[in-house]
Coordinates of all heavy atoms in Angstrom, one line a residue:
G4 N 7.4 -0.4 14.7 CA 8.2 0.5 15.5 C 8.6 1.7 14.7 O 8.6 2.9 15.2
A5 N 8.9 1.5 13.4 CA 9.3 2.7 12.5 C 8.1 3.5 12.2 O 8.2 4.7 12.1 CB 9.9 2.1 11.2
V6 N 6.9 2.9 12.1 CA 5.7 3.7 11.9 C 5.5 4.7 13.0 O 5.1 5.9 12.8 CB 4.4 2.8 11.7 CG1 3.2 3.6 11.7 CG2 4.6 1.9 10.5
G7 N 5.7 4.2 14.3 CA 5.6 5.1 15.4 C 6.6 6.2 15.4 O 6.3 7.4 15.5
K8 N 7.9 5.8 15.4 CA 9.0 6.8 15.5 C 9.1 7.7 14.3 O 9.3 8.9 14.5 CB 10.4 6.0 15.6 CG 10.7 5.5 17.0 CD 11.3 6.6 17.9 CE 11.7 6.0 19.2 NZ 10.6 5.5 20.0
S9 N 8.9 7.2 13.1 CA 9.0 8.1 11.9 C 7.6 8.7 11.5 O 7.5 9.2 10.4 CB 9.6 7.3 10.7 OG 10.9 7.0 10.9
A10 N 6.6 8.6 12.4 CA 5.4 9.3 12.2 C 4.7 9.0 10.9 O 4.3 9.9 10.2 CB 5.6 10.8 12.4
Q11 N 4.6 7.7 10.6 CA 3.8 7.3 9.4 C 2.4 7.1 9.7 O 2.0 6.8 10.9 CB 4.4 5.9 8.8 CG 5.9 6.0 8.5 CD 6.2 7.0 7.4 OE1 5.9 6.8 6.2 NE2 6.9 8.1 7.7
V12 N 1.5 7.2 8.7 CA 0.1 7.0 8.9 C -0.1 5.5 9.4 O 0.5 4.6 8.8 CB -0.7 7.2 7.5 CG1 -2.1 6.7 7.6 CG2 -0.6 8.6 7.1
P13 N -0.9 5.2 10.4 CA -1.8 6.1 11.1 C -1.2 6.7 12.5 O -2.0 7.3 13.2 CB -3.0 5.2 11.5 CG -2.3 3.8 11.7 CD -1.1 3.8 10.8
L14 N 0.1 6.5 12.7 CA 0.6 6.9 14.0 C 1.4 8.3 13.8 O 2.3 8.6 14.6 CB 1.6 5.9 14.6 CG 1.0 4.5 14.9 CD1 2.0 3.5 15.5 CD2 -0.2 4.6 15.9
H15 N 0.9 9.1 12.9 CA 1.6 10.3 12.6 C 1.1 11.5 13.5 O 1.7 12.5 13.5 CB 1.3 10.7 11.1 CG -0.1 11.0 10.9 ND1 -1.1 10.0 10.8 CD2 -0.8 12.2 10.7 CE1 -2.3 10.6 10.6 NE2 -2.1 11.9 10.6
V16 N 0.1 11.2 14.3 CA -0.6 12.3 15.0 C 0.2 13.0 16.0 O -0.1 14.1 16.4 CB -1.9 11.7 15.7 CG1 -2.9 11.3 14.6 CG2 -1.6 10.5 16.6
W17 N 1.3 12.4 16.5 CA 2.0 13.0 17.6 C 3.0 14.1 17.1 O 3.3 15.0 17.9 CB 2.9 11.9 18.4 CG 4.0 11.3 17.6 CD1 3.9 10.2 16.8 CD2 5.3 11.7 17.5 NE1 5.1 9.9 16.2 CE2 6.0 10.8 16.6 CE3 6.0 12.8 18.0 CZ2 7.4 11.0 16.3 CZ3 7.4 13.0 17.7 CH2 8.0 12.0 16.8
L18 N 3.4 14.0 15.9 CA 4.5 14.8 15.4 C 4.2 16.3 15.4 O 5.0 17.1 15.9 CB 5.1 14.4 14.1 CG 6.5 15.0 13.8 CD1 7.6 13.9 14.0 CD2 6.6 15.5 12.4
P19 N 3.1 16.7 14.8 CA 2.8 18.2 14.8 C 2.6 18.8 16.2 O 3.0 19.9 16.5 CB 1.5 18.3 14.0 CG 1.5 17.0 13.1 CD 2.1 16.0 14.0
D20 N 2.0 18.0 17.1 CA 1.8 18.5 18.5 C 3.2 18.6 19.2 O 3.3 19.4 20.1 CB 0.9 17.5 19.3 CG -0.5 17.6 18.9 OD1 -0.8 18.1 17.8 OD2 -1.4 17.1 19.6
A21 N 4.1 17.8 18.8 CA 5.4 17.9 19.4 C 6.2 19.2 19.2 O 7.2 19.4 19.8 CB 6.3 16.7 18.9
M22 N 5.6 20.1 18.4 CA 6.2 21.4 18.2 C 6.1 22.3 19.5 O 6.7 23.4 19.6 CB 5.4 22.2 17.1 CG 5.6 21.5 15.8 SD 7.3 21.4 15.3 CE 7.4 19.8 14.7
E23 N 5.4 21.8 20.5 CA 5.3 22.5 21.8 C 6.6 22.6 22.5 O 6.8 23.4 23.4 CB 4.2 21.8 22.7 CG 2.8 22.0 22.2 CD 2.3 23.4 22.3 OE1 2.9 24.2 23.0 OE2 1.4 23.7 21.5
G24 N 7.6 21.7 22.2 CA 8.9 21.7 22.8 C 9.7 22.9 22.3 O 9.3 23.6 21.4
P25 N 10.8 23.2 22.9 CA 11.7 24.3 22.4 C 12.1 24.1 21.0 O 12.2 22.9 20.6 CB 12.9 24.2 23.4 CG 12.4 23.5 24.6 CD 11.4 22.6 24.1
T26 N 12.2 25.1 20.2 CA 12.5 25.0 18.8 C 13.8 24.2 18.5 O 13.8 23.4 17.5 CB 12.6 26.4 18.1 OG1 11.4 27.0 18.3 CG2 12.9 26.3 16.6
P27 N 14.9 24.4 19.2 CA 16.1 23.5 18.9 C 15.8 22.0 19.1 O 16.3 21.2 18.4 CB 17.1 24.0 20.0 CG 16.7 25.3 20.4 CD 15.2 25.3 20.3
V28 N 14.9 21.7 20.0 CA 14.4 20.3 20.2 C 13.7 19.8 19.0 O 13.8 18.7 18.5 CB 13.6 20.2 21.5 CG1 12.9 18.8 21.6 CG2 14.4 20.4 22.7
S29 N 12.9 20.7 18.4 CA 12.2 20.4 17.1 C 13.2 20.0 16.1 O 13.0 19.1 15.3 CB 11.3 21.6 16.7 OG 10.4 21.9 17.6
A30 N 14.3 20.8 16.0 CA 15.3 20.5 15.0 C 15.9 19.1 15.2 O 16.2 18.4 14.3 CB 16.4 21.6 15.0
L31 N 16.2 18.9 16.5 CA 16.9 17.6 16.9 C 16.0 16.4 16.7 O 16.4 15.4 16.1 CB 17.3 17.7 18.4 CG 18.2 16.5 18.9 CD1 19.5 16.5 18.1 CD2 18.5 16.7 20.4
I32 N 14.8 16.5 17.2 CA 13.9 15.3 17.1 C 13.2 15.1 15.8 O 13.2 14.0 15.2 CB 12.8 15.4 18.2 CG1 13.4 15.3 19.6 CG2 11.7 14.3 18.0 CD1 12.4 15.4 20.7
R33 N 12.7 16.2 15.2 CA 11.9 16.1 14.0 C 12.7 16.1 12.7 O 12.2 15.7 11.7 CB 10.9 17.3 13.9 CG 9.5 16.8 14.4 CD 9.4 16.6 15.8 NE 9.4 17.9 16.5 CZ 9.7 18.0 17.8 NH1 10.0 16.9 18.5 NH2 9.7 19.1 18.4
A34 N 13.9 16.6 12.7 CA 14.7 16.8 11.5 C 15.6 15.6 11.3 O 15.7 15.0 10.2 CB 15.4 18.1 11.5
A35 N 16.4 15.4 12.2 CA 17.6 14.6 11.9 C 17.6 13.2 12.6 O 18.1 12.2 12.0 CB 18.8 15.4 12.4
T36 N 17.2 13.1 13.9 CA 17.6 12.0 14.6 C 16.4 11.0 14.9 O 16.3 10.0 14.3 CB 18.3 12.4 15.9 OG1 17.5 13.4 16.6 CG2 19.6 13.0 15.6
M37 N 15.5 11.5 15.8 CA 14.5 10.5 16.3 C 13.6 10.0 15.1 O 13.4 8.8 15.0 CB 13.6 11.2 17.3 CG 12.5 10.3 17.8 SD 11.6 11.0 19.1 CE 10.1 10.1 19.2
V38 N 13.1 10.9 14.2 CA 12.3 10.4 13.2 C 13.1 9.6 12.1 O 12.5 8.8 11.4 CB 11.5 11.6 12.5 CG1 10.5 12.2 13.4 CG2 12.5 12.7 12.0
A39 N 14.4 9.9 12.0 CA 15.2 9.2 11.1 C 15.5 7.8 11.6 O 15.9 6.9 10.8 CB 16.5 9.9 10.9
A40 N 15.3 7.6 12.9 CA 15.5 6.2 13.5 C 14.7 5.2 12.9 O 15.1 4.0 12.6 CB 15.3 6.3 15.0
G41 N 13.4 5.5 12.5 CA 12.5 4.5 11.9 C 13.0 4.1 10.5 O 13.0 2.9 10.2
V42 N 13.5 5.1 9.7 CA 14.1 4.8 8.4 C 15.3 3.9 8.6 O 15.5 3.0 7.8 CB 14.4 6.1 7.6 CG1 14.9 5.8 6.3 CG2 13.2 7.0 7.6
Y43 N 16.1 4.3 9.6 CA 17.4 3.5 9.8 C 17.0 2.1 10.2 O 17.7 1.1 9.8 CB 18.2 4.2 11.0 CG 19.4 3.5 11.3 CD1 20.6 3.6 10.5 CD2 19.5 2.6 12.5 CE1 21.7 2.9 10.9 CE2 20.6 2.0 12.8 CZ 21.8 2.1 12.0 OH 22.9 1.4 12.3
L44 N 16.0 1.9 11.0 CA 15.6 0.5 11.4 C 15.2 -0.3 10.2 O 15.6 -1.5 10.1 CB 14.4 0.6 12.4 CG 13.7 -0.7 12.8 CD1 14.7 -1.6 13.5 CD2 12.4 -0.5 13.6
V45 N 14.4 0.3 9.3 CA 13.9 -0.5 8.1 C 15.2 -0.8 7.2 O 15.3 -1.9 6.7 CB 12.9 0.4 7.3 CG1 12.5 -0.4 6.0 CG2 11.7 0.7 8.1
A46 N 16.1 0.1 7.2 CA 17.3 -0.1 6.4 C 18.1 -1.3 7.0 O 18.7 -2.1 6.3 CB 18.2 1.1 6.3

C-alpha cells in the first residue's frame, strides 16, 4: 500500500504524470500529505 501511495519502484509511474493537476494540488499531494501517508503507514 505504501509502495503505491509513496510512489516507490515499481509503482512510481503515476507521480510525475500527476503534475497535470493545479500546482497547489501538487504541493498538497506530492510534498506533504498523500505521498507521506506511505511512510506514515510503515512507521
Side-chain angles (χ1 to χ4, degrees):
V6 172
K8 278 279 185 294
S9 287
Q11 301 296 290
V12 171
L14 299 180
H15 65 288
V16 292
W17 67 269
L18 196 103
D20 288 18
M22 296 300 135
E23 290 293 339
T26 301
V28 171
S29 302
L31 186 63
I32 292 179
R33 259 74 72 200
T36 50
M37 178 173 163
V38 290
V42 182
Y43 179 79
L44 171 66
V45 180

